[in-house]
Amino acid sequence: MSADAKILNAVTTISVEGDVAIVTLNSPPVNALSAPVREGLTLGINAALADSAVKSVVLICDGRTFIAGADITEFGKAPVGPSLQDVQNTIENASKPVVAAIHGTALGGGLEVALTCHYRVAVPSAKCGLPEVNLGLLPGAGGTQRLPRIVGAAKALEMMTTGQHVPAKACLAMGLVDELAEEGKLRETAVAFAKKIVAEGRPLKRVRDLEDKVLADRANPGLFAEFRKANARKFRGFMAPESNIKCIEAAVNLPFDEGMAVERKLFMELMTGSQSAAQRYVFFAERQAAKIPDIGDDVAILPVKKVGVIGAGTMGGGISMNFLSAGYAVTIVETQQAALDRGIATIRKNYENTAKKGRLTQADVETRMGLLTGTLALEDLADCDLIIEAVFENMEIKKDVFGRLDKIAKAGAILASNTSYLDVNEIASATTRPESVIGLHFFSPANVMRLLEIVRGAATSKEVIATSMQIGKKIGKVAVLVGVCPGFVGNRILSQRQREAQKLVMEGAMPWDIDRVLFDFGFPMGPFAMSDLAGLDIGWSKENSKSSTIREVLCEMDRRGQKSGSGYYDYDENRNAIPSPVVEKIILDFAAQQGINRRDISDEEILERCVYPMINEGAKILEEGMAIRASDVDIVWLNGYGWPLYRGGPMFYGDLIGLPKVLEKMKTFQAQMGEEFKPSALLERLVAEGKSFKDL
Ligand code: 3H9
């Protein structure tokens, strides 16, 4: 705050430099448009207009960012203070030019405020975006009508349906920003710019009055149909992208005020719907997952520079790529030279494929590969700060590796297992330093999937946990802390769904019925299509195969999934899955052999049988303290297993449909089919108390 600044309210000051008034907002953490910020903006602009010595106004923010949007925590509550629209009208209709000075991010309502300013100046590191779509919304403060008027429909479609944060340079190129300031010199540049436009007598440029871009778009009616078609798969199930598109269509085809009415109507529809509620919940849930109640900021973070990875297979290679991409030196260990060479070649090939798509430069590829060392000697991991084991999923092998690591690794090194199922405490018992042992469960493909389950052993130290959480963030993962139990959170819940899917197939459904129901629910694919993709022969061997399950029979017939051309499905030359009469016959034969009277199974039953036991298992996980909070379970399923974002995760979904309904169905299934459906004590308790998971 400059010395002569006048305080307008708790978050706003105004100062005058020459004939430029500078209105500064300071509302940490992200200057969101809360009631005090809206009030401060109104006071600031009005004070500047009332001061006859002032000829122009700069709107700037203190702290890490320009206004990052509406205050999401206010959504659904009774409105307080001036409305955002009133604030925007005050700015846009001001008789003196208002310049937005942007650093950090101008997002959502923040960019919409900047769009009511007459000009925009930004530092190169700044980014602008309308990310409402990611909250299941659309920009509801005129952004849908103003953005197309300034950048055209094509760019608006891209920005608003992806929510991307566009760098200032690109904003300058598309006219969204009028001038770039040197980094660190935003305030003086914006003030100089404001003086310049006054001196040059430039008009008060109101974006709402711009017409040339939308007129040009009106001449291209195919634009919207093509965009919808090109993105149909990506937008499947989501309501917000289509509503955003409709608003941009309105901007192109209707006068401003009519377009605003369309925006308002569609915004309210989304805002009151369950999809946006789910997506807003996920926004906070992701941030919440990073917070561990018994680990405060005072816990020391261990220095990690060098990473060792044991195993150069698909998993070890993918794990290594995460670290190489984030700039860590990685040593990867294999037992055979050929396997090591193959692993390293695959890493290079993956990077080169990314480079071919233009998402990396060849120099980036070389930098990353330059950080990688391959070796056959475990001893070469002696100077690593973090060692991740990704060997075969077998307790004896893992214990042997950890026993050897214990003798090799330097004191204080973090020893991590990528086990997806095994007991991390037992693995730790093979060392003399269980406090340094932790589970880091990556999901395949490990260089792509966002989820990282961090498994806290009984003795794992707080420093090791805090460091692992931070590393997860650095390598771009969503890290969730879980406890030691078979399958941890993700696979433990998955096993419920898999069990029911297999049972349903015997009872009367076909794999494609189950896949269709789960696909329609919003999963990218159902369990059988997934098995075909992953390969039915994972963990299968010819010698031990006894035709005792459908999967074994399929593998014995060399129907091992997509890679062998058939599995649960047949595949055409374009890899389209086709229900297989062969598989149908195998299933019917199996059922007949077991004396099962097959019956018609409704889609509703398929969904309830697959999903309710997952919710129930999530409740057991919470009751046992294997996850810190219900939303952590949801984050696992959203980021590791393709749970549809707009349904918020299994626990959110349970709350949405109502826990009494889930409990009642579980009891009915229990009576019909046995103890696999026994309701968890937590579920019973919550229902008895009239509560839901969100109340925990
Ligand atoms: C909108 O604008 C609707 C309008 O069109 C229509 C209105 C009528 N509100 O992410 P971080 C909190 S919709 C409230 O860790 P970073 C966040 O929870 C909005 N709180 O920091 C966290 O709290 P805590 C459109 C918010 O540096 C803290 O700030 N805008 C909001 O990694 C730090 O956040 C968006 O969707 C908010 N809007 O990233 C932008 N934003 O410390 C959403 C953040 O207690 N925000 N918080 O956990 C972001 O994308 C990132 O926060 C940002 C900073 C990039 C800004």
Short mmCIF file of all heavy atoms in Angstrom, two decimals, residues 125-186:
data_model
loop_
_atom_site.label_atom_id
_atom_site.label_comp_id
_atom_site.label_asym_id
_atom_site.label_seq_id
_atom_site.Cartn_x
_atom_site.Cartn_y
_atom_site.Cartn_z
N SER A 125 3.79 -13.20 -17.27
CA SER A 125 3.49 -14.44 -16.53
C SER A 125 2.01 -14.58 -16.19
O SER A 125 1.58 -15.61 -15.68
CB SER A 125 4.30 -14.47 -15.24
OG SER A 125 3.97 -13.34 -14.45
N ALA A 126 1.22 -13.54 -16.46
CA ALA A 126 -0.21 -13.59 -16.12
C ALA A 126 -0.95 -14.54 -17.06
O ALA A 126 -0.49 -14.82 -18.17
CB ALA A 126 -0.81 -12.20 -16.20
N LYS A 127 -2.08 -15.02 -16.58
CA LYS A 127 -2.93 -15.88 -17.42
C LYS A 127 -4.38 -15.47 -17.26
O LYS A 127 -4.79 -15.04 -16.18
CB LYS A 127 -2.78 -17.34 -17.00
CG LYS A 127 -1.42 -17.89 -17.38
CD LYS A 127 -1.29 -19.33 -17.04
CE LYS A 127 0.06 -19.83 -17.54
NZ LYS A 127 0.49 -21.01 -16.87
N CYS A 128 -5.14 -15.60 -18.36
CA CYS A 128 -6.56 -15.27 -18.31
C CYS A 128 -7.37 -16.50 -18.71
O CYS A 128 -6.95 -17.26 -19.58
CB CYS A 128 -6.88 -14.16 -19.30
SG CYS A 128 -6.05 -12.61 -18.92
N GLY A 129 -8.52 -16.66 -18.10
CA GLY A 129 -9.36 -17.80 -18.49
C GLY A 129 -10.75 -17.70 -17.92
O GLY A 129 -11.01 -16.96 -16.98
N LEU A 130 -11.65 -18.47 -18.52
CA LEU A 130 -13.00 -18.61 -17.99
C LEU A 130 -13.17 -20.10 -17.65
O LEU A 130 -13.68 -20.87 -18.47
CB LEU A 130 -14.04 -18.13 -19.02
CG LEU A 130 -14.02 -16.62 -19.31
CD1 LEU A 130 -15.01 -16.26 -20.41
CD2 LEU A 130 -14.34 -15.80 -18.05
N PRO A 131 -12.72 -20.50 -16.46
CA PRO A 131 -12.70 -21.94 -16.13
C PRO A 131 -13.99 -22.46 -15.52
O PRO A 131 -14.01 -23.57 -14.98
CB PRO A 131 -11.55 -22.01 -15.11
CG PRO A 131 -11.61 -20.70 -14.40
CD PRO A 131 -12.11 -19.68 -15.41
N GLU A 132 -15.08 -21.68 -15.62
CA GLU A 132 -16.33 -22.10 -14.96
C GLU A 132 -16.77 -23.49 -15.38
O GLU A 132 -17.35 -24.24 -14.59
CB GLU A 132 -17.45 -21.08 -15.26
CG GLU A 132 -17.36 -19.78 -14.48
CD GLU A 132 -16.45 -18.74 -15.12
OE1 GLU A 132 -15.67 -19.10 -16.04
OE2 GLU A 132 -16.52 -17.57 -14.70
N VAL A 133 -16.50 -23.85 -16.63
CA VAL A 133 -16.93 -25.17 -17.12
C VAL A 133 -16.41 -26.29 -16.22
O VAL A 133 -17.08 -27.31 -16.02
CB VAL A 133 -16.48 -25.37 -18.59
CG1 VAL A 133 -14.98 -25.56 -18.71
CG2 VAL A 133 -17.21 -26.53 -19.25
N ASN A 134 -15.24 -26.07 -15.64
CA ASN A 134 -14.66 -27.10 -14.76
C ASN A 134 -15.37 -27.18 -13.41
O ASN A 134 -15.13 -28.09 -12.64
CB ASN A 134 -13.17 -26.85 -14.56
CG ASN A 134 -12.42 -26.99 -15.87
OD1 ASN A 134 -12.79 -27.81 -16.70
ND2 ASN A 134 -11.39 -26.18 -16.07
N LEU A 135 -16.21 -26.19 -13.15
CA LEU A 135 -17.05 -26.24 -11.94
C LEU A 135 -18.48 -26.58 -12.34
O LEU A 135 -19.42 -26.34 -11.57
CB LEU A 135 -17.02 -24.89 -11.22
CG LEU A 135 -15.65 -24.41 -10.73
CD1 LEU A 135 -15.73 -22.96 -10.25
CD2 LEU A 135 -15.14 -25.29 -9.60
N GLY A 136 -18.65 -27.07 -13.56
CA GLY A 136 -19.99 -27.42 -14.05
C GLY A 136 -20.85 -26.20 -14.32
O GLY A 136 -22.07 -26.27 -14.31
N LEU A 137 -20.19 -25.06 -14.59
CA LEU A 137 -20.91 -23.80 -14.76
C LEU A 137 -20.57 -23.15 -16.09
O LEU A 137 -19.81 -23.70 -16.89
CB LEU A 137 -20.51 -22.83 -13.63
CG LEU A 137 -20.96 -23.17 -12.23
CD1 LEU A 137 -20.31 -22.21 -11.23
CD2 LEU A 137 -22.48 -23.09 -12.12
N LEU A 138 -21.10 -21.95 -16.29
CA LEU A 138 -20.66 -21.10 -17.39
C LEU A 138 -20.40 -19.73 -16.78
O LEU A 138 -20.87 -19.44 -15.67
CB LEU A 138 -21.73 -21.06 -18.49
CG LEU A 138 -23.16 -20.67 -18.13
CD1 LEU A 138 -23.36 -19.18 -18.09
CD2 LEU A 138 -24.11 -21.28 -19.15
N PRO A 139 -19.62 -18.90 -17.46
CA PRO A 139 -19.35 -17.57 -16.91
C PRO A 139 -20.67 -16.82 -16.80
O PRO A 139 -21.35 -16.61 -17.80
CB PRO A 139 -18.43 -16.93 -17.96
CG PRO A 139 -17.87 -18.09 -18.73
CD PRO A 139 -18.94 -19.14 -18.74
N GLY A 140 -21.04 -16.45 -15.59
CA GLY A 140 -22.37 -15.90 -15.38
C GLY A 140 -22.38 -14.41 -15.14
O GLY A 140 -23.36 -13.85 -14.69
N ALA A 141 -21.28 -13.75 -15.47
CA ALA A 141 -21.23 -12.30 -15.27
C ALA A 141 -20.86 -11.62 -16.58
O ALA A 141 -20.00 -10.75 -16.64
CB ALA A 141 -20.25 -11.94 -14.16
N GLY A 142 -21.52 -12.09 -17.65
CA GLY A 142 -21.35 -11.45 -18.95
C GLY A 142 -20.19 -11.97 -19.77
O GLY A 142 -20.01 -11.58 -20.92
N GLY A 143 -19.42 -12.87 -19.20
CA GLY A 143 -18.25 -13.38 -19.91
C GLY A 143 -18.61 -14.09 -21.20
O GLY A 143 -17.89 -13.99 -22.20
N THR A 144 -19.76 -14.77 -21.20
CA THR A 144 -20.13 -15.52 -22.41
C THR A 144 -20.46 -14.57 -23.56
O THR A 144 -20.36 -14.95 -24.72
CB THR A 144 -21.36 -16.42 -22.16
OG1 THR A 144 -22.50 -15.59 -21.94
CG2 THR A 144 -21.15 -17.34 -20.96
N GLN A 145 -20.88 -13.36 -23.21
CA GLN A 145 -21.26 -12.40 -24.25
C GLN A 145 -20.10 -11.49 -24.62
O GLN A 145 -19.96 -11.08 -25.77
CB GLN A 145 -22.47 -11.57 -23.79
CG GLN A 145 -23.67 -12.41 -23.42
CD GLN A 145 -24.08 -13.36 -24.55
OE1 GLN A 145 -24.47 -12.92 -25.63
NE2 GLN A 145 -23.97 -14.67 -24.31
N ARG A 146 -19.25 -11.19 -23.65
CA ARG A 146 -18.15 -10.26 -23.96
C ARG A 146 -16.97 -10.96 -24.61
O ARG A 146 -16.36 -10.44 -25.52
CB ARG A 146 -17.72 -9.51 -22.69
CG ARG A 146 -18.76 -8.51 -22.21
CD ARG A 146 -18.24 -7.58 -21.12
NE ARG A 146 -19.28 -6.64 -20.70
CZ ARG A 146 -20.17 -6.90 -19.73
NH1 ARG A 146 -20.14 -8.04 -19.07
NH2 ARG A 146 -21.09 -6.00 -19.44
N LEU A 147 -16.62 -12.17 -24.12
CA LEU A 147 -15.42 -12.81 -24.67
C LEU A 147 -15.53 -13.02 -26.20
O LEU A 147 -14.60 -12.65 -26.92
CB LEU A 147 -15.12 -14.14 -23.96
CG LEU A 147 -13.78 -14.76 -24.37
CD1 LEU A 147 -12.59 -13.93 -23.87
CD2 LEU A 147 -13.65 -16.20 -23.87
N PRO A 148 -16.65 -13.58 -26.72
CA PRO A 148 -16.73 -13.75 -28.18
C PRO A 148 -16.64 -12.41 -28.92
O PRO A 148 -16.15 -12.36 -30.04
CB PRO A 148 -18.10 -14.38 -28.40
CG PRO A 148 -18.52 -14.92 -27.09
CD PRO A 148 -17.83 -14.10 -26.03
N ARG A 149 -17.10 -11.34 -28.28
CA ARG A 149 -17.07 -10.04 -28.96
C ARG A 149 -15.64 -9.51 -29.09
O ARG A 149 -15.36 -8.65 -29.90
CB ARG A 149 -17.95 -9.03 -28.21
CG ARG A 149 -19.42 -9.22 -28.49
CD ARG A 149 -20.31 -8.25 -27.74
NE ARG A 149 -21.64 -8.19 -28.34
CZ ARG A 149 -22.59 -9.13 -28.20
NH1 ARG A 149 -22.34 -10.20 -27.47
NH2 ARG A 149 -23.76 -9.00 -28.79
N ILE A 150 -14.77 -10.04 -28.26
CA ILE A 150 -13.39 -9.53 -28.31
C ILE A 150 -12.46 -10.53 -29.02
O ILE A 150 -11.56 -10.13 -29.75
CB ILE A 150 -12.90 -9.15 -26.89
CG1 ILE A 150 -11.81 -8.09 -26.95
CG2 ILE A 150 -12.37 -10.29 -26.10
CD1 ILE A 150 -11.58 -7.42 -25.59
N VAL A 151 -12.68 -11.85 -28.84
CA VAL A 151 -11.74 -12.82 -29.44
C VAL A 151 -12.37 -13.65 -30.56
O VAL A 151 -11.68 -14.44 -31.21
CB VAL A 151 -11.12 -13.76 -28.38
CG1 VAL A 151 -10.45 -12.99 -27.27
CG2 VAL A 151 -12.16 -14.75 -27.81
N GLY A 152 -13.68 -13.53 -30.77
CA GLY A 152 -14.35 -14.34 -31.79
C GLY A 152 -14.85 -15.66 -31.19
O GLY A 152 -14.36 -16.12 -30.16
N ALA A 153 -15.82 -16.26 -31.92
CA ALA A 153 -16.48 -17.44 -31.37
C ALA A 153 -15.54 -18.64 -31.26
O ALA A 153 -15.60 -19.39 -30.28
CB ALA A 153 -17.69 -17.80 -32.23
N ALA A 154 -14.67 -18.85 -32.25
CA ALA A 154 -13.84 -20.07 -32.25
C ALA A 154 -12.96 -20.10 -31.00
O ALA A 154 -12.90 -21.12 -30.30
CB ALA A 154 -13.00 -20.13 -33.51
N LYS A 155 -12.30 -18.98 -30.72
CA LYS A 155 -11.41 -18.95 -29.54
C LYS A 155 -12.22 -19.01 -28.25
O LYS A 155 -11.82 -19.64 -27.27
CB LYS A 155 -10.55 -17.70 -29.56
CG LYS A 155 -9.47 -17.75 -30.63
CD LYS A 155 -8.28 -16.89 -30.24
CE LYS A 155 -7.12 -17.10 -31.21
NZ LYS A 155 -7.38 -16.53 -32.54
N ALA A 156 -13.38 -18.35 -28.26
CA ALA A 156 -14.23 -18.37 -27.06
C ALA A 156 -14.70 -19.81 -26.78
O ALA A 156 -14.71 -20.25 -25.63
CB ALA A 156 -15.44 -17.44 -27.24
N LEU A 157 -15.06 -20.53 -27.85
CA LEU A 157 -15.49 -21.92 -27.67
C LEU A 157 -14.38 -22.73 -27.01
O LEU A 157 -14.61 -23.48 -26.06
CB LEU A 157 -15.83 -22.54 -29.03
CG LEU A 157 -17.20 -22.17 -29.63
CD1 LEU A 157 -17.26 -22.60 -31.10
CD2 LEU A 157 -18.33 -22.82 -28.84
N GLU A 158 -13.18 -22.55 -27.52
CA GLU A 158 -12.06 -23.33 -26.99
C GLU A 158 -11.80 -22.96 -25.53
O GLU A 158 -11.69 -23.82 -24.66
CB GLU A 158 -10.83 -23.04 -27.85
CG GLU A 158 -9.72 -24.04 -27.63
CD GLU A 158 -8.45 -23.60 -28.33
OE1 GLU A 158 -8.54 -22.99 -29.42
OE2 GLU A 158 -7.37 -23.85 -27.76
N MET A 159 -11.74 -21.66 -25.27
CA MET A 159 -11.42 -21.23 -23.90
C MET A 159 -12.50 -21.65 -22.91
O MET A 159 -12.22 -22.12 -21.82
CB MET A 159 -11.27 -19.69 -23.84
CG MET A 159 -9.92 -19.19 -24.30
SD MET A 159 -9.85 -17.38 -24.27
CE MET A 159 -9.72 -17.04 -22.51
N MET A 160 -13.74 -21.47 -23.31
CA MET A 160 -14.83 -21.69 -22.33
C MET A 160 -15.18 -23.16 -22.14
O MET A 160 -15.73 -23.53 -21.11
CB MET A 160 -16.06 -20.88 -22.73
CG MET A 160 -15.88 -19.40 -22.40
SD MET A 160 -17.09 -18.33 -23.18
CE MET A 160 -18.61 -19.18 -22.85
N THR A 161 -14.90 -24.00 -23.14
CA THR A 161 -15.24 -25.42 -22.94
C THR A 161 -14.07 -26.21 -22.36
O THR A 161 -14.26 -27.34 -21.91
CB THR A 161 -15.72 -26.09 -24.24
OG1 THR A 161 -14.69 -25.97 -25.22
CG2 THR A 161 -17.00 -25.47 -24.74
N THR A 162 -12.87 -25.62 -22.37
CA THR A 162 -11.75 -26.31 -21.72
C THR A 162 -11.42 -25.66 -20.38
O THR A 162 -10.86 -26.29 -19.50
CB THR A 162 -10.46 -26.23 -22.56
OG1 THR A 162 -10.13 -24.85 -22.74
CG2 THR A 162 -10.63 -26.90 -23.90
N GLY A 163 -11.75 -24.37 -20.25
CA GLY A 163 -11.40 -23.64 -19.03
C GLY A 163 -9.92 -23.30 -18.96
O GLY A 163 -9.42 -22.91 -17.91
N GLN A 164 -9.23 -23.45 -20.08
CA GLN A 164 -7.77 -23.26 -20.07
C GLN A 164 -7.37 -21.84 -19.61
O GLN A 164 -8.11 -20.88 -19.82
CB GLN A 164 -7.19 -23.53 -21.47
CG GLN A 164 -7.70 -22.56 -22.51
CD GLN A 164 -7.30 -22.95 -23.94
OE1 GLN A 164 -7.06 -22.10 -24.76
NE2 GLN A 164 -7.26 -24.22 -24.26
N HIS A 165 -6.20 -21.78 -18.97
CA HIS A 165 -5.65 -20.49 -18.54
C HIS A 165 -4.70 -20.03 -19.65
O HIS A 165 -3.66 -20.63 -19.87
CB HIS A 165 -4.88 -20.63 -17.23
CG HIS A 165 -5.70 -21.16 -16.10
ND1 HIS A 165 -5.20 -21.33 -14.83
CD2 HIS A 165 -7.01 -21.52 -16.03
CE1 HIS A 165 -6.16 -21.80 -14.03
NE2 HIS A 165 -7.25 -21.94 -14.75
N VAL A 166 -5.06 -18.98 -20.36
CA VAL A 166 -4.29 -18.58 -21.54
C VAL A 166 -3.20 -17.58 -21.15
O VAL A 166 -3.49 -16.55 -20.52
CB VAL A 166 -5.24 -17.94 -22.59
CG1 VAL A 166 -4.46 -17.54 -23.84
CG2 VAL A 166 -6.37 -18.89 -22.93
N PRO A 167 -1.94 -17.86 -21.51
CA PRO A 167 -0.84 -16.95 -21.16
C PRO A 167 -1.02 -15.55 -21.77
O PRO A 167 -1.60 -15.42 -22.85
CB PRO A 167 0.40 -17.64 -21.75
CG PRO A 167 -0.01 -19.04 -22.01
CD PRO A 167 -1.48 -19.05 -22.23
N ALA A 168 -0.50 -14.55 -21.05
CA ALA A 168 -0.73 -13.15 -21.43
C ALA A 168 -0.32 -12.86 -22.87
O ALA A 168 -0.99 -12.10 -23.57
CB ALA A 168 0.02 -12.23 -20.47
N LYS A 169 0.78 -13.48 -23.31
CA LYS A 169 1.23 -13.20 -24.69
C LYS A 169 0.17 -13.61 -25.71
O LYS A 169 -0.10 -12.88 -26.66
CB LYS A 169 2.53 -13.97 -24.98
CG LYS A 169 3.76 -13.14 -24.72
CD LYS A 169 4.98 -13.80 -25.31
CE LYS A 169 6.21 -13.07 -24.81
NZ LYS A 169 7.40 -13.89 -24.81
N ALA A 170 -0.41 -14.78 -25.49
CA ALA A 170 -1.46 -15.25 -26.40
C ALA A 170 -2.69 -14.34 -26.26
O ALA A 170 -3.38 -14.06 -27.25
CB ALA A 170 -1.82 -16.69 -26.09
N CYS A 171 -2.94 -13.84 -25.05
CA CYS A 171 -4.08 -12.92 -24.85
C CYS A 171 -3.85 -11.63 -25.63
O CYS A 171 -4.78 -11.08 -26.22
CB CYS A 171 -4.25 -12.60 -23.37
SG CYS A 171 -4.78 -14.00 -22.39
N LEU A 172 -2.60 -11.18 -25.63
CA LEU A 172 -2.26 -9.96 -26.38
C LEU A 172 -2.54 -10.21 -27.87
O LEU A 172 -3.16 -9.38 -28.55
CB LEU A 172 -0.78 -9.61 -26.15
CG LEU A 172 -0.29 -8.36 -26.86
CD1 LEU A 172 -0.84 -7.11 -26.17
CD2 LEU A 172 1.24 -8.28 -26.86
N ALA A 173 -2.09 -11.38 -28.35
CA ALA A 173 -2.25 -11.68 -29.77
C ALA A 173 -3.72 -11.72 -30.17
O ALA A 173 -4.08 -11.34 -31.27
CB ALA A 173 -1.57 -13.02 -30.08
N MET A 174 -4.60 -12.17 -29.25
CA MET A 174 -6.01 -12.27 -29.63
C MET A 174 -6.82 -11.03 -29.21
O MET A 174 -8.03 -11.01 -29.34
CB MET A 174 -6.64 -13.56 -29.09
CG MET A 174 -6.66 -13.72 -27.61
SD MET A 174 -7.69 -15.13 -27.13
CE MET A 174 -6.48 -16.35 -26.77
N GLY A 175 -6.15 -10.02 -28.69
CA GLY A 175 -6.83 -8.76 -28.39
C GLY A 175 -7.47 -8.69 -27.02
O GLY A 175 -8.10 -7.70 -26.66
N LEU A 176 -7.30 -9.77 -26.25
CA LEU A 176 -7.91 -9.78 -24.91
C LEU A 176 -7.15 -8.86 -23.96
O LEU A 176 -7.71 -8.29 -23.02
CB LEU A 176 -7.89 -11.23 -24.40
CG LEU A 176 -8.61 -11.57 -23.13
CD1 LEU A 176 -10.05 -11.07 -23.16
CD2 LEU A 176 -8.61 -13.10 -22.91
N VAL A 177 -5.84 -8.73 -24.21
CA VAL A 177 -5.00 -7.81 -23.44
C VAL A 177 -4.49 -6.75 -24.41
O VAL A 177 -4.19 -7.04 -25.57
CB VAL A 177 -3.84 -8.62 -22.80
CG1 VAL A 177 -2.70 -7.72 -22.39
CG2 VAL A 177 -4.35 -9.43 -21.61
N ASP A 178 -4.43 -5.50 -23.94
CA ASP A 178 -4.03 -4.41 -24.84
C ASP A 178 -2.54 -4.13 -24.81
O ASP A 178 -1.98 -3.64 -25.78
CB ASP A 178 -4.79 -3.13 -24.45
CG ASP A 178 -6.29 -3.32 -24.58
OD1 ASP A 178 -6.77 -3.32 -25.73
OD2 ASP A 178 -6.96 -3.53 -23.56
N GLU A 179 -1.90 -4.41 -23.66
CA GLU A 179 -0.46 -4.12 -23.58
C GLU A 179 0.18 -5.04 -22.55
O GLU A 179 -0.43 -5.34 -21.52
CB GLU A 179 -0.25 -2.65 -23.18
CG GLU A 179 1.22 -2.23 -23.27
CD GLU A 179 1.38 -0.70 -23.26
OE1 GLU A 179 0.84 -0.04 -24.17
OE2 GLU A 179 2.02 -0.19 -22.32
N LEU A 180 1.43 -5.46 -22.83
CA LEU A 180 2.17 -6.25 -21.85
C LEU A 180 3.09 -5.34 -21.05
O LEU A 180 3.70 -4.43 -21.62
CB LEU A 180 3.02 -7.33 -22.53
CG LEU A 180 2.32 -8.56 -23.10
CD1 LEU A 180 3.34 -9.60 -23.53
CD2 LEU A 180 1.33 -9.17 -22.11
N ALA A 181 3.17 -5.59 -19.75
CA ALA A 181 4.10 -4.83 -18.90
C ALA A 181 5.31 -5.70 -18.63
O ALA A 181 5.21 -6.93 -18.66
CB ALA A 181 3.41 -4.49 -17.58
N GLU A 182 6.42 -5.06 -18.34
CA GLU A 182 7.59 -5.84 -17.95
C GLU A 182 7.28 -6.51 -16.61
O GLU A 182 6.60 -5.91 -15.76
CB GLU A 182 8.77 -4.87 -17.80
CG GLU A 182 10.11 -5.48 -18.10
CD GLU A 182 11.19 -4.41 -17.97
OE1 GLU A 182 11.15 -3.43 -18.73
OE2 GLU A 182 12.04 -4.56 -17.08
N GLU A 183 7.80 -7.73 -16.43
CA GLU A 183 7.57 -8.46 -15.17
C GLU A 183 8.01 -7.58 -13.99
O GLU A 183 9.09 -6.99 -14.03
CB GLU A 183 8.38 -9.75 -15.21
CG GLU A 183 7.75 -10.91 -14.49
CD GLU A 183 6.45 -11.40 -15.13
OE1 GLU A 183 6.46 -11.87 -16.28
OE2 GLU A 183 5.44 -11.28 -14.43
N GLY A 184 7.16 -7.45 -12.99
CA GLY A 184 7.52 -6.66 -11.81
C GLY A 184 7.24 -5.17 -11.98
O GLY A 184 7.42 -4.39 -11.04
N LYS A 185 6.81 -4.76 -13.17
CA LYS A 185 6.54 -3.32 -13.38
C LYS A 185 5.10 -3.08 -13.80
O LYS A 185 4.82 -2.20 -14.62
CB LYS A 185 7.50 -2.79 -14.45
CG LYS A 185 8.96 -2.85 -14.03
CD LYS A 185 9.80 -1.84 -14.76
CE LYS A 185 11.18 -1.79 -14.14
NZ LYS A 185 12.23 -1.57 -15.11
N LEU A 186 4.20 -3.87 -13.25
CA LEU A 186 2.81 -3.78 -13.68
C LEU A 186 2.18 -2.44 -13.33
O LEU A 186 1.56 -1.78 -14.16
CB LEU A 186 2.01 -4.93 -13.04
CG LEU A 186 0.54 -4.99 -13.42
CD1 LEU A 186 0.35 -5.15 -14.92
CD2 LEU A 186 -0.18 -6.13 -12.68
#
